[in-house]
Amino acid sequence: MTNNKTYILGERALVIEIAQTTLSQQQQNKLFAMHTWMRQQKVFIDIVPAKTTITGYLMHSQDPDYWLQKMQDAWDNIEPEQYQPRTHEIMTQYGGESGPDLIEVANLLNLSPSQVIELHSSQAYQVKFLGFLPGFAYLGELDKQLHLPRLASPRTHVPKGSVAIAEDLTAVYPSESPGGWRLIGQTNMTLFDHHSKTPSIFQPGDIVKFIPSKESIC
Amino acid sequence: MLKTLKGGIQACVQDGGRSGYRHLGVSQAGVLDPLAMHYANALLHNEDDCAVIEITVGLCQFEFKETTNFAITGSDLGAKLNNKQLASGWRYSATVGDKLTFSSSKDGLRAYLAVQGGFRLKPVLDSNSTDLQAGFGGLTGNALKDGDVLDYNRKSPLPSVGAAQPPYNKKIRVVAGPHSDLISEAQFKQLFEQHWQVLPQSNRMGIRIDSKLDLCHKQSIPSQAVMPGIVQLPPNGKPIILSNDCQTTGGYPIIAQVIEADLRHLSQLASNQHCSFELVTRQDAKKALIEQQQHLAQFKIAINNNDKNLI
């Protein structure tokens, strides 16, 4: 059993928290299995996985204590295998105008640009959670050799589709926005469409792979 | 239709907000004062969550291009119809060419404007709320600009009628947050013993407040789901009360949460004003919300009775 705590946040948000700063893959998958279980209960208007927590917003505030206990019981019995991720392949053009920070990233890491591309695109990532912008997925874990802090001064305009890295995570900007992550490539796939019933391609727990396009600068 | 002659500081279309998409990073948005929206809609026999225009500060002007009835609720921002003064919490009728203007007030920050039958809008992700950060919803995804036109169906004039809206308070009730033990017990107690000043950087995403109390710290928490009403304490010690347009997750410690019944008071906190906090229990919070719902239900009975031969 994993070390966790549960509590009511405000009047009707219920939180399960794994009391650790980073989760094992097993714990991470258990959170996503919990997401599936919570959806099936039909009492939550929103269910939000985050770094080490999952939060459910009850439709009504009548009985938070009852549902908190139900969540704890479910957590104790749930198996990490009870969730089915989808896999997405993101065609990415690395470097040049598409990835204006690639050269600097390579220099800072004592790698060649092609090594950065190789390291970034040779592994599969998991959507840990979404936030910051509609459809902005925090993808982890980035290879240790690619860890860098955010830019000291954030850009005011990061183009839509920018593929970026920061610390132990990577992400794709689903729309133009300000941002402090380092831009190493770009995709022309649309990740978030507010006109669609299923607006985000990425769902919590999904698997993401980056495929370098032939035009990528190596 | 309703033509925007002047958009003013910020007038935007809002309803009860967006739910069901938070896990995809989509903010709640929606009216900051749900009760004001509910009263406006009740005065017009609209559905509870029918979209209204939320007016911040004022200084905006509209022209009615079709006969209808409309209601103004929230704070009194000096609304006038063809230069005739209107009262907040009342329903009025307007005819073709009538001009509705708002000035501003030092006592209030937000007013709400609803028309009978509601505006004709295309919902985005099941809501007509404008998400100003993401740029979708409402009419164009933005605040109303000069020349923007909102469609509605023509309605016959009804007699004026008013509702006594519950007053706004600067004493905000909160329940304790999960990370309140991050600060000392003495500091936590002090949160409730002083006045907080609203800082100018406040907006629909959050209200920043400050006091003489030193609450600086060096803690952060793993990003977790956040929602309107959460009181975050960033390392600089100046709390942020999250509001409807806040992001869906946040990594600052949560020291308190404004009770749902009191979220409406936050909608009227203007920069440089003062507010204070009162610590209550979850049971108190529930009771306050039920009282508010009963108040609204009684008002609906009264208005239906009043208008029974008209609608």
Side-chain angles (χ1 to χ4, degrees):
Chain A
M1 209 190 300
T2 46
N3 178 24
N4 78 88
K5 58 177 185 179
T6 54
Y7 58 86
I8 303 171
L9 175 61
E11 284 150 79
R12 53 192 170 122
L14 309 182
V15 185
I16 286 192
E17 178 181 349
I18 301 172
Q20 281 170 222
T21 42
T22 47
L23 305 188
S24 68
Q25 193 58 52
Q26 175 99 347
Q27 289 170 322
Q28 185 72 68
N29 289 348
K30 208 170 150 169
L31 267 191
F32 295 127
M34 194 64 197
H35 191 184
T36 308
W37 179 86
M38 286 169 76
R39 265 201 307 257
Q40 289 160 354
Q41 307 312 306
K42 312 265 183 221
V43 293
F44 298 102
I45 46 174
D46 268 296
I47 306 157
V48 187
K51 208 159 183 189
T52 57
T53 53
I54 187 157
T55 302
Y57 298 85
L58 282 174
M59 230 167 273
H60 307 289
S61 56
Q62 281 91 331
D63 221 345
D65 295 294
Y66 170 81
W67 280 103
L68 197 66
Q69 187 56 51
K70 288 268 281 185
M71 268 170 76
Q72 180 64 54
D73 295 345
W75 179 258
D76 292 341
N77 293 308
I78 213 155
E79 295 299 327
E81 292 73 31
Q82 284 170 251
Y83 102 99
Q84 296 298 323
R86 287 195 305 159
T87 299
H88 310 275
E89 292 192 337
I90 305 299
M91 187 59 79
T92 303
Q93 184 163 343
Y94 286 94
E97 280 178 20
S98 303
D101 296 333
L102 179 67
I103 304 285
E104 198 194 334
V105 164
N107 289 340
L108 288 169
L109 296 166
N110 289 318
L111 297 167
S112 70
S114 57
Q115 283 173 312
V116 173
I117 297 171
E118 170 65 20
L119 283 168
H120 187 261
S121 61
S122 60
Q123 70 163 103
Y125 300 94
Q126 187 174 39
V127 177
K128 302 294 180 189
F129 63 99
L130 294 98
F132 174 53
L133 294 169
F136 187 98
Y138 292 85
L139 307 169
E141 300 267 320
L142 195 62
D143 190 291
K144 280 210 163 48
Q145 295 179 70
L146 294 177
H147 290 197
L148 280 172
R150 287 170 170 78
L151 293 171
S153 78
R155 286 183 169 87
T156 50
H157 296 281
V158 174
K160 177 186 171 187
S162 293
V163 175
I165 58 170
E167 291 159 10
D168 57 347
L169 296 167
T170 183
V172 187
Y173 281 80
S175 55
E176 193 196 294
S177 91
W181 292 35
R182 296 173 193 269
L183 314 182
I184 59 168
Q186 195 173 15
T187 179
N188 53 22
M189 279 179 71
T190 293
L191 299 179
F192 188 90
D193 176 8
H194 62 259
H195 296 297
S196 168
K197 269 274 156 207
T198 49
S200 176
I201 290 182
F202 295 152
Q203 298 290 321
D206 279 359
I207 304 299
V208 179
K209 290 175 183 160
F210 293 94
I211 313 291
S213 72
K214 287 196 184 70
E215 301 81 35
S216 293
I217 294 170
C218 293
Chain B
M1 63 189 195
L2 183 76
K3 187 174 178 185
T4 310
L5 300 178
K6 275 191 191 166
I9 305 297
Q10 187 184 81
C12 54
V13 175
Q14 299 292 347
D15 61 11
R18 227 160 244 116
S19 59
Y21 299 99
R22 269 178 207 270
H23 64 295
L24 303 178
V26 178
S27 299
Q28 176 180 320
V31 285
L32 299 186
D33 184 346
L35 196 64
M37 173 183 72
H38 292 151
Y39 272 92
N41 283 327
L43 282 163
L44 298 162
H45 303 276
N46 291 344
E47 296 283 327
D48 270 354
D49 280 354
C50 186
V52 299
I53 300 177
E54 179 180 279
I55 295 158
T56 302
V57 178
L59 307 174
C60 50
Q61 298 185 3
F62 303 95
E63 184 180 342
F64 291 95
K65 299 283 195 184
E66 211 96 56
T67 300
T68 190
N69 300 287
F70 67 96
I72 298 169
T73 57
S75 269
D76 187 341
L77 297 182
K80 287 179 179 172
L81 189 67
N82 301 331
N83 285 320
K84 194 179 144 274
Q85 198 139 0
L86 307 178
S88 183
W90 280 74
R91 175 180 80 197
Y92 299 95
S93 65
T95 184
V96 182
D98 280 358
K99 285 195 179 67
L100 176 65
T101 58
F102 291 84
S103 49
S104 64
S105 157
K106 63 174 173 40
D107 301 319
L109 187 61
R110 288 189 172 90
Y112 293 85
L113 166 64
V115 299
Q116 192 182 1
F119 300 108
R120 279 202 301 269
L121 296 157
K122 285 200 185 92
V124 172
L125 301 177
D126 312 325
S127 163
N128 283 317
S129 285
T130 313
D131 186 328
L132 296 166
Q133 304 303 319
F136 58 67
L139 183 68
T140 62
N142 298 299
L144 295 175
K145 292 186 291 289
D146 301 3
D148 276 350
V149 162
L150 288 151
D151 288 325
Y152 58 81
N153 292 334
R154 196 189 163 283
K155 300 281 178 187
S156 318
L158 293 169
S160 269
V161 63
Q165 304 175 87
Y168 293 106
N169 244 319
K170 296 230 167 11
K171 188 169 216 171
I172 315 284
R173 289 171 289 183
V174 302
V175 292
H179 312 120
S180 48
D181 53 0
L182 182 93
I183 50 179
S184 72
E185 228 168 281
Q187 281 177 317
F188 187 69
K189 228 178 121 206
Q190 278 178 289
L191 286 178
F192 308 99
E193 287 167 356
Q194 63 191 298
H195 286 278
W196 295 86
Q197 187 179 18
V198 177
L199 299 175
Q201 304 94 307
S202 303
N203 54 30
R204 280 187 47 96
M205 290 180 78
I207 297 166
R208 289 163 188 269
I209 54 175
D210 196 9
S211 76
K212 290 198 182 87
L213 186 59
D214 182 11
L215 293 173
C216 290
H217 65 84
K218 289 198 172 106
Q219 315 266 354
S220 69
I221 56 158
S223 277
Q224 72 174 80
V226 293
M227 57 202 183
I230 275 183
V231 184
Q232 289 182 330
L233 188 67
N236 69 5
K238 298 179 184 8
I240 304 171
I241 311 171
L242 296 182
S243 200
N244 291 42
D245 289 358
C246 70
Q247 292 173 10
T248 51
T249 58
Y252 293 137
I254 299 167
I255 52 167
Q257 161 94 38
V258 176
I259 69 168
E260 284 182 43
D262 282 4
L263 287 173
R264 58 188 290 265
H265 302 313
L266 300 177
S267 71
Q268 303 298 343
L269 287 181
S271 98
N272 294 320
Q273 285 186 339
H274 290 83
C275 66
S276 62
F277 294 120
E278 183 190 351
L279 187 65
V280 299
T281 64
R282 198 171 297 117
Q283 285 66 36
D284 295 331
K286 195 168 164 180
K287 206 172 138 220
L289 195 61
I290 290 170
E291 271 170 23
Q292 217 171 62
Q293 286 161 349
Q294 285 171 341
H295 203 279
L296 180 68
Q298 276 166 3
F299 172 67
K300 282 187 190 168
I301 293 169
I303 190 89
N304 286 338
N305 220 16
N306 183 78
D307 289 347
K308 72 178 168 224
N309 300 319
L310 298 167
I311 299 268

